[in-house]
Amino acid sequence: MTDYRKTLEQHMLRLKQEGNYRYFLDVQKSARDFPRFYYEDAQGNTRTAVNWCSNDYLCMSVHESVAGRLAEVARQSGAGSGGTRNISGTTVCHRELEQTLASLHRKEAALLFGGAYLANVTALSTLGKLFPGMVFLSDERNHASIIEGIKHSGAEKMIFRHNDIQHLEQLLTGLPADRPRMIVFESVYSMSGNIAPVEAIVRLAQQHNALTYVDEVHAVGLYGRDGGGISALLQADHAPDIINGTLAKGFGVTGGYIAADRVIADAVRSFGSGFIFTTSLPPAICAAAARSIRIVREDHRLRLLFHEKVRQLRQMLAAYSVPWIPNPGHITPVRIGDAVRCREIAERLLDECGVYVQPVNYPTVPKGEECLRITVTTRHSEADMVCLAESLQYLLQADRQHHSVYIAA
Ligand code: PLP
């Protein structure tokens, strides 16, 4: 007979032994002091640290006007929508936000979801089923939600080497001309900061009659003249067919979406289980997200300030001889290469230095690529950067010494 408890305990034990068990820190977020936050340590003492792993890149979650709009509409309309989109859960706020997103991405339509994860799973699985014989061509570094969506479609999948346009072309050329196909990739890769050759991929897709689907989750708000992501840097007719984005990172609220031609959005709206059978986003969330997008689109200084902060941070790390993996994006990964050591360093950063960076371990990154994924925001100060760089310098040195003694022994 199956011992359910014991089986699960064994799974958890193995995860812990590998160093991949996830421990959460209960953060007391402060709108006023962000990125500084407060937390209780194991002894019950209130402590403070600076957050170096938030995706609230532009600090829009703590923007007064955005938070104010959330509170105002929550007072008017209540806390939740009270229904699925089909059953009384479509409000004026949903409609307005979808129009805003379609305009941001220069597409005919947009469709809202509870998050970009759900948007990826639903859009990919639905579209895969609507085209019999569909083949997905998927970048090997795609996010878990993309992998999940393709899996649920039941369609065939071919994986191309990361950002390797020649390999993608080879795979496309090998397909029978009449088979429907979709190329799926991210614009800014969330762990490495690598940026995809979006224009080249779209051009190739057009030659091979393929649809293109891009996850712009880590690009919206931050890239493109008005924050429309990497695709917004291209001519509208050279942009990918379907753009996936989040309202939770650059826009600081929550929720996800796709933007595409009207017929594509309508098909996902009509057949997508993850769209149809779930309560819609609260109207206040939609209104706050629309306000955030408006501010981010209009205030180009925000984007300039953000990229300037990325440059300053990297300069500071270099000054303290902290190596990071170079990339053209805004994510600054410091490779550790071992799950247990990665966790130990992160713990010491928090306990001894007041620096909070989550260790990124398998399966988020392949084994051997465990890293500290550092993200700066528009509110990090020079003093915060000095503290981070000094702390990392000290702890990485200590780790190297300890590790070399360990190897020698
Ligand atoms: N796509 C990528 C590349 C991500 O990194 C994430 C989340 O971190 C998502 C999708 C999911 O976004 P959301 O948090 O809006 O569900």
Side-chain angles (χ1 to χ4, degrees):
M1 278 211 310
T2 304
D3 185 335
Y4 296 103
R5 177 180 285 271
K6 196 164 165 213
T7 306
L8 292 179
E9 279 170 355
Q10 280 165 350
H11 281 296
M12 303 329 287
L13 183 66
R14 202 178 59 243
L15 206 59
K16 283 179 186 164
Q17 282 166 345
E18 290 168 353
N20 289 327
Y21 187 75
R22 290 167 192 241
Y23 296 92
F24 296 160
L25 179 69
D26 299 343
V27 163
Q28 181 69 52
K29 192 168 178 250
S30 161
R32 192 193 60 192
D33 300 339
F34 183 81
R36 181 166 290 284
F37 65 89
Y38 303 88
Y39 70 102
E40 223 173 68
D41 67 13
Q43 286 71 44
N45 305 309
T46 299
R47 299 190 57 184
T48 178
V50 171
N51 189 344
W52 280 102
C53 52
S54 173
N55 290 320
D56 187 8
Y57 302 120
L58 303 178
C59 304
M60 296 310 289
S61 83
V62 292
H63 194 290
E64 255 187 57
S65 171
V66 174
R69 182 74 182 136
L70 184 84
E72 180 188 312
V73 178
R75 269 195 303 273
Q76 270 169 17
S77 302
S81 78
T84 63
R85 286 296 294 271
N86 191 39
I87 306 177
S88 79
T90 297
T91 67
V92 177
C93 298
H94 293 82
R95 184 64 67 223
E96 280 174 3
L97 178 55
E98 284 178 339
Q99 281 163 357
T100 301
L101 289 165
S103 144
L104 174 70
H105 293 293
R106 301 171 300 170
K107 295 287 187 194
E108 289 172 357
L111 207 59
L112 283 170
F113 294 83
Y117 187 103
L118 188 57
N120 273 337
V121 171
T122 307
L124 291 166
S125 61
T126 306
L127 292 169
K129 285 180 195 143
L130 290 175
F131 296 96
M134 171 67 96
V135 181
F136 284 104
L137 296 111
S138 177
D139 187 287
E140 68 178 334
R141 290 298 172 105
N142 274 341
H143 188 254
S145 54
I146 295 177
I147 296 166
E148 209 53 20
I150 294 175
K151 195 159 98 189
H152 283 293
S153 75
E156 189 182 337
K157 173 169 85 167
M158 295 176 127
I159 295 175
F160 61 94
R161 287 190 292 273
H162 182 49
N163 275 350
D164 186 337
I165 200 90
Q166 273 87 29
H167 189 212
L168 176 59
E169 186 166 20
Q170 257 175 30
L171 295 177
L172 283 166
T173 309
L175 284 173
D178 60 346
R179 276 198 81 170
R181 65 216 53 197
M182 190 188 296
I183 305 168
V184 192
F185 59 106
E186 295 176 30
S187 61
V188 177
Y189 283 83
S190 58
M191 292 298 140
S192 64
N194 288 346
I195 295 185
V198 181
E199 192 169 11
I201 292 178
V202 174
R203 234 188 273 126
L204 194 60
Q206 286 169 347
Q207 286 162 17
H208 290 266
N209 190 34
L211 282 170
T212 40
Y213 184 108
V214 66
D215 176 322
E216 291 252 37
V217 160
H218 288 274
V220 289
L222 310 180
Y223 298 83
R225 217 186 60 79
D226 62 353
I230 301 289
S231 310
L233 297 166
L234 312 173
Q235 302 275 359
D237 55 351
H238 288 120
D241 297 300
I242 303 146
I243 293 170
N244 163 279
T246 186
L247 302 167
K249 303 183 195 292
F251 298 127
V253 188
T254 195
Y257 62 90
I258 58 162
D261 283 357
R262 201 176 311 284
V263 66
I264 295 179
D266 204 22
V268 178
R269 189 184 73 89
S270 306
F271 295 104
S273 202
F275 177 81
I276 299 170
F277 298 107
T278 182
T279 302
S280 65
L281 287 171
I285 291 290
C286 297
R291 172 71 57 86
S292 175
I293 295 168
R294 200 187 79 208
I295 295 167
V296 169
R297 283 183 91 169
E298 286 172 2
D299 191 353
H300 305 299
R301 288 167 315 172
L302 258 179
R303 254 178 305 289
L304 291 177
L305 174 64
F306 175 69
H307 290 288
E308 177 55 21
K309 292 279 181 184
V310 175
R311 199 190 58 75
Q312 280 172 8
L313 168 69
R314 290 174 174 188
Q315 215 171 35
M316 190 67 79
L317 292 177
Y320 282 82
S321 308
V322 175
W324 77 93
I325 304 169
N327 65 74
H330 58 275
I331 288 151
T332 305
V334 174
R335 168 83 53 90
I336 307 296
D338 177 87
V340 175
R341 282 167 45 223
C342 199
R343 176 162 307 287
E344 274 170 12
I345 294 171
E347 277 171 8
R348 290 190 65 185
L349 277 170
L350 183 66
D351 292 346
E352 298 171 28
C353 315
V355 165
Y356 178 47
V357 191
Q358 256 301 327
V360 179
N361 288 345
Y362 177 81
T364 310
V365 292
K367 287 186 180 165
E369 292 187 21
E370 292 83 359
C371 66
L372 300 171
R373 174 188 179 272
I374 297 168
T375 48
V376 71
T377 73
T378 47
R379 278 209 201 168
H380 282 92
S381 66
E382 194 179 327
D384 292 333
M385 293 183 198
V386 171
C387 173
L388 171 75
E390 258 177 7
S391 309
L392 275 171
Q393 184 191 47
Y394 162 67
L395 287 174
L396 290 177
Q397 216 162 23
D399 174 67
R400 267 195 299 274
Q401 277 163 6
H402 176 77
H403 192 57
S404 58
V405 169
Y406 176 70
I407 288 170

Coordinates of all heavy atoms in Angstrom, one line a residue, residues 55 114-120 142-146 186 188-191 215-218 244-249 254-257 373, ligand 1:
N55 N 11.4 42.3 -9.1 CA 11.2 42.6 -10.5 C 10.3 43.8 -10.7 O 9.9 44.1 -11.8 CB 10.4 41.4 -11.2 CG 11.3 40.2 -11.3 OD1 12.5 40.3 -11.7 ND2 10.7 39.0 -11.1
G114 N -5.0 36.1 -15.4 CA -4.6 36.3 -14.0 C -3.1 36.6 -13.9 O -2.6 37.2 -12.9
G115 N -2.3 36.1 -14.8 CA -0.8 36.4 -14.8 C -0.3 36.0 -16.2 O -1.0 35.3 -17.0
A116 N 1.0 36.3 -16.4 CA 1.6 36.0 -17.7 C 1.8 34.5 -17.8 O 1.9 33.9 -18.9 CB 2.9 36.8 -17.9
Y117 N 2.0 33.8 -16.6 CA 2.2 32.4 -16.7 C 0.9 31.7 -17.3 O 1.0 30.9 -18.2 CB 2.4 31.9 -15.2 CG 2.7 30.4 -15.1 CD1 4.0 30.0 -14.9 CD2 1.7 29.4 -15.3 CE1 4.3 28.6 -14.8 CE2 2.0 28.1 -15.2 CZ 3.3 27.7 -15.0 OH 3.6 26.3 -14.9
L118 N -0.2 32.2 -16.7 CA -1.5 31.6 -17.2 C -1.7 32.0 -18.7 O -2.3 31.2 -19.5 CB -2.6 32.2 -16.3 CG -4.0 31.6 -16.5 CD1 -4.0 30.1 -16.4 CD2 -5.0 32.2 -15.6
A119 N -1.3 33.2 -19.0 CA -1.5 33.7 -20.4 C -0.7 32.8 -21.4 O -1.1 32.4 -22.4 CB -1.0 35.1 -20.6
N120 N 0.6 32.4 -21.0 CA 1.4 31.6 -21.8 C 0.8 30.2 -21.9 O 0.7 29.6 -23.0 CB 2.8 31.4 -21.2 CG 3.7 32.5 -21.7 OD1 3.5 33.1 -22.8 ND2 4.8 32.8 -20.9
N142 N 13.5 28.7 -22.9 CA 12.2 29.3 -22.6 C 11.7 29.0 -21.2 O 12.1 28.0 -20.6 CB 11.2 28.7 -23.6 CG 11.1 29.5 -24.9 OD1 11.6 30.7 -24.9 ND2 10.6 29.0 -25.9
H143 N 10.9 29.9 -20.7 CA 10.3 29.8 -19.3 C 9.4 28.6 -19.1 O 8.8 28.1 -20.1 CB 9.5 31.1 -19.1 CG 9.1 31.3 -17.7 ND1 7.7 31.2 -17.4 CD2 9.7 31.7 -16.6 CE1 7.6 31.4 -16.1 NE2 8.8 31.8 -15.6
A144 N 9.3 28.2 -17.9 CA 8.5 27.0 -17.5 C 7.0 27.2 -18.1 O 6.4 26.2 -18.5 CB 8.4 26.9 -16.0
S145 N 6.5 28.4 -18.1 CA 5.1 28.5 -18.5 C 4.9 28.3 -20.0 O 3.9 27.8 -20.5 CB 4.6 29.9 -18.2 OG 5.5 30.9 -18.7
I146 N 6.0 28.5 -20.8 CA 5.9 28.3 -22.2 C 6.0 26.7 -22.4 O 5.3 26.2 -23.2 CB 7.1 29.0 -22.9 CG1 6.9 30.5 -22.8 CG2 7.3 28.5 -24.4 CD1 8.1 31.3 -23.4
E186 N 11.6 34.1 -25.9 CA 11.5 35.3 -25.1 C 12.3 36.4 -25.7 O 13.2 36.2 -26.4 CB 12.0 35.0 -23.7 CG 11.2 33.9 -22.9 CD 11.8 33.5 -21.6 OE1 12.5 34.4 -20.9 OE2 11.7 32.4 -21.2
V188 N 13.6 39.2 -23.7 CA 14.7 39.3 -22.7 C 14.6 38.1 -21.8 O 13.6 37.9 -21.1 CB 14.6 40.6 -21.9 CG1 15.7 40.7 -20.8 CG2 14.6 41.9 -22.7
Y189 N 15.7 37.3 -21.8 CA 15.6 36.1 -21.0 C 15.8 36.4 -19.5 O 16.7 37.1 -19.1 CB 16.6 35.0 -21.5 CG 16.1 34.4 -22.8 CD1 16.2 35.0 -24.0 CD2 15.4 33.2 -22.7 CE1 15.7 34.5 -25.2 CE2 14.8 32.7 -23.9 CZ 15.0 33.3 -25.1 OH 14.4 32.8 -26.2
S190 N 14.9 35.8 -18.7 CA 14.7 36.3 -17.4 C 15.8 36.0 -16.4 O 16.0 36.7 -15.4 CB 13.4 35.7 -16.8 OG 13.5 34.2 -16.8
M191 N 16.6 34.9 -16.7 CA 17.7 34.6 -15.8 C 19.1 35.1 -16.3 O 19.9 35.5 -15.5 CB 17.8 33.1 -15.6 CG 16.6 32.5 -14.9 SD 16.5 33.2 -13.2 CE 14.8 33.5 -13.0
D215 N 7.5 36.1 -25.6 CA 7.3 36.4 -24.2 C 8.1 37.7 -23.9 O 9.4 37.6 -23.9 CB 7.7 35.2 -23.3 CG 7.6 35.5 -21.8 OD1 7.9 36.6 -21.4 OD2 7.3 34.5 -21.1
E216 N 7.5 38.8 -23.6 CA 8.1 40.1 -23.4 C 8.0 40.5 -21.9 O 8.1 41.6 -21.5 CB 7.5 41.2 -24.2 CG 7.8 41.0 -25.7 CD 8.8 42.1 -26.2 OE1 9.7 42.4 -25.5 OE2 8.6 42.6 -27.4
V217 N 7.8 39.4 -21.1 CA 7.5 39.7 -19.6 C 8.6 40.6 -19.0 O 8.3 41.4 -18.2 CB 7.4 38.3 -18.9 CG1 7.6 38.4 -17.4 CG2 6.0 37.8 -19.2
H218 N 9.9 40.3 -19.3 CA 10.9 41.1 -18.6 C 11.4 42.3 -19.5 O 12.4 42.9 -19.2 CB 12.1 40.2 -18.3 CG 11.8 39.3 -17.2 ND1 12.0 39.6 -15.9 CD2 11.3 38.0 -17.2 CE1 11.6 38.6 -15.1 NE2 11.2 37.7 -15.9
N244 N 3.3 38.3 -25.5 CA 2.9 38.0 -24.1 C 3.6 38.9 -23.2 O 4.8 39.2 -23.3 CB 3.3 36.5 -23.8 CG 3.2 36.2 -22.3 OD1 4.2 36.6 -21.6 ND2 2.2 35.7 -21.8
G245 N 2.8 39.5 -22.2 CA 3.5 40.4 -21.3 C 2.8 40.2 -19.9 O 1.8 39.6 -19.7
T246 N 3.5 40.9 -18.9 CA 2.9 40.9 -17.6 C 2.6 42.3 -17.1 O 3.3 43.3 -17.6 CB 4.0 40.3 -16.6 OG1 3.4 40.1 -15.3 CG2 5.2 41.1 -16.4
L247 N 1.7 42.4 -16.2 CA 1.5 43.7 -15.5 C 2.2 43.8 -14.2 O 2.0 44.8 -13.4 CB -0.1 43.9 -15.3 CG -0.9 43.8 -16.6 CD1 -2.3 43.6 -16.3 CD2 -0.6 45.0 -17.5
A248 N 2.9 42.7 -13.9 CA 3.5 42.6 -12.5 C 4.9 43.1 -12.3 O 5.3 43.3 -11.2 CB 3.4 41.1 -12.1
K249 N 5.6 43.3 -13.4 CA 7.1 43.6 -13.2 C 7.3 45.1 -13.5 O 7.2 45.9 -12.7 CB 7.9 42.6 -14.0 CG 7.6 41.1 -13.6 CD 8.4 40.1 -14.3 CE 7.9 38.7 -14.2 NZ 8.0 38.1 -12.9
T254 N -0.3 43.5 -11.1 CA -0.4 42.0 -11.3 C -1.3 41.7 -12.5 O -2.1 42.5 -12.8 CB -0.9 41.3 -10.0 OG1 -0.6 39.9 -10.1 CG2 -2.4 41.5 -9.8
G255 N -1.1 40.5 -13.0 CA -1.9 40.1 -14.2 C -1.0 39.9 -15.4 O 0.2 40.3 -15.4
G256 N -1.6 39.3 -16.4 CA -0.8 39.0 -17.6 C -1.7 39.2 -18.8 O -2.9 39.3 -18.7
Y257 N -1.1 39.1 -20.0 CA -1.9 39.3 -21.2 C -1.2 38.8 -22.5 O 0.0 38.5 -22.4 CB -2.2 40.8 -21.4 CG -1.0 41.6 -21.6 CD1 -0.4 41.9 -22.8 CD2 -0.3 42.2 -20.5 CE1 0.7 42.7 -23.0 CE2 0.8 43.0 -20.6 CZ 1.3 43.2 -21.9 OH 2.5 43.9 -22.0
R373 N 20.8 36.1 -8.8 CA 20.3 37.0 -9.9 C 19.9 38.3 -9.3 O 19.0 38.5 -8.5 CB 19.0 36.3 -10.5 CG 18.3 37.1 -11.5 CD 16.9 36.5 -11.8 NE 16.1 37.2 -12.8 CZ 15.3 38.1 -12.5 NH1 15.1 38.5 -11.2 NH2 14.6 38.7 -13.4
Ligands
PLP1 N1 7.4 34.5 -18.5 C1 8.6 34.8 -17.9 C2 9.8 34.8 -18.8 C3 8.7 35.0 -16.5 O1 9.9 35.2 -16.0 C4 7.6 35.0 -15.7 C5 7.6 35.2 -14.2 O2 8.5 35.5 -13.6 C6 6.3 34.7 -16.3 C7 6.3 34.5 -17.7 C8 5.1 34.7 -15.5 O3 4.7 36.1 -15.3 P1 3.6 36.4 -14.2 O4 4.3 36.6 -12.9 O5 2.8 37.6 -14.6 O6 2.7 35.2 -14.1

